[in-house]
Amino acid sequence: TLPITHGACMTSRHYGNNAFPPQLFNILAAPCLLYRHKGLFRQMLQRNISARYRGSVLGLVWSFAHPLMMLAVYTFVFGIVFRARWGVETLDENRAAFPLIMFCGLAVFSVFSESLNSSGSLIVNHAGFVKKVVFPLELLPLCTVATAFFFGAAWFSLLLLGACVFLQSLSWTMCLLPLTLAPLLLFTAGASLIIAALGVYLRDVPQLVGVVTQILFFMTPIFYPVSLVPERLRWLLHLNPLTPVVEETRKLFLYGQEPDYMVCLWLFLFSLAVFQIGLACFGKMKKGFADVL
């Protein structure tokens, strides 16, 4: 049972003149919220992690077994059967290069899609927190994103192992992974906050999110390089914020190249803006949660 923090966040709070909550302009609002309720957030995170494979024989081993089996299948199909090539001279001689490059894109996308698909009905499934207690509701989607990143660490661990075993090379640029994961975390958290709030008023949101994530899956260069897309249509891929995240992550993790720092800076600023907007929209819409639920 989670402890309840009284006075943390009233669902009936008003901000006057229908203006956005102050979180939109205060980048310290989320860090302060997490620090103030760090004990509660930690307990929620532990509960989510333990509940994932509760009752299974292997438990948390499945968090490594699932992506490992996918990596094995991709290596066999694309590396051995199709002998696919990506177009990177230093890697294309290795049969395992294509599956690893693709697996890197999947690792990034899995964190994003798992968070969004879990957020659509998140508040509805925890209606008791809205109706009966004073509870910092923002923690629910933030904890969902943190849980996805926890299990996503297994994907990147296997990616690192694959780079060591199959590519037989490690690069110092792997230490720069936070440059792409930080924007991914902020963007995913902001989108999850918006979807979690909309899911209270529109019960079709979970189904819509499932369709949108499928579209984004094929609109993200996971199974193909951007260079294969006709130049006149590449702007469609670049409208997708996940495209530069995947591309820059491959650069520093597999290619041994430094990322484009200006792209990383743009990604961070854009993702921070999305996160602040998501936090503000959630704070504004949560005033009506109790009435709807």
Side-chain angles (χ1 to χ4, degrees), residues 70-103 162-163 165-168 254:
M70 292 184 64
L71 178 59
V73 171
Y74 292 145
T75 301
F76 175 76
V77 174
F78 292 98
I80 298 176
V81 178
F82 291 110
R83 297 185 179 183
R85 297 292 182 265
W86 193 266
V88 180
E89 295 182 2
T90 57
L91 296 178
D92 276 346
E93 296 300 320
N94 192 323
R95 290 182 180 179
F98 187 96
L100 285 176
I101 293 173
M102 185 174 55
F103 190 77
V165 174
F166 297 109
L167 302 183
Q168 297 180 351
L254 295 177

Side-chain angles (χ1 to χ4, degrees), residues 45-226:
L45 181 60
Q46 291 173 349
R47 184 193 63 175
N48 287 355
I49 293 171
S50 62
R52 175 68 64 91
Y53 301 111
R54 182 178 299 157
S56 63
V57 176
L58 296 180
L60 285 176
V61 175
W62 279 113
S63 62
F64 291 92
H66 176 231
L68 183 61
M69 287 187 288
M70 292 184 64
L71 178 59
V73 171
Y74 292 145
T75 301
F76 175 76
V77 174
F78 292 98
I80 298 176
V81 178
F82 291 110
R83 297 185 179 183
R85 297 292 182 265
W86 193 266
V88 180
E89 295 182 2
T90 57
L91 296 178
D92 276 346
E93 296 300 320
N94 192 323
R95 290 182 180 179
F98 187 96
L100 285 176
I101 293 173
M102 185 174 55
F103 190 77
C104 183
L106 283 171
V108 171
F109 190 83
S110 66
V111 173
F112 173 79
S113 61
E114 181 179 341
S115 299
L116 262 65
N117 287 325
S118 301
S119 298
S121 57
L122 186 62
I123 306 300
V124 175
N125 292 339
H126 294 82
F129 289 163
V130 178
K131 293 181 177 181
K132 299 179 181 179
V133 298
V134 180
F135 183 84
L137 295 174
E138 289 86 350
L139 293 186
L140 291 173
L142 294 180
C143 189
T144 297
V145 175
T147 303
F149 266 77
F150 175 85
F151 289 107
W155 289 70
F156 285 100
S157 299
L158 292 175
L159 185 62
L160 176 62
L161 180 62
C164 294
V165 174
F166 297 109
L167 302 183
Q168 297 180 351
S169 64
L170 291 175
S171 174
W172 68 271
T173 56
M174 291 180 176
C175 299
L176 301 177
L177 190 60
L179 291 180
T180 57
L181 289 190
L184 177 63
L185 173 63
L186 288 171
F187 177 73
T188 303
S192 297
L193 283 163
I194 295 174
I195 289 172
L198 288 176
V200 177
Y201 299 97
L202 301 173
R203 300 302 169 89
D204 295 330
V205 166
Q207 289 73 26
L208 179 61
V209 170
V211 174
V212 171
T213 52
Q214 283 295 319
I215 294 173
L216 286 176
F217 180 75
F218 292 103
M219 291 298 293
T220 304
I222 296 174
F223 295 93
Y224 57 88
V226 176

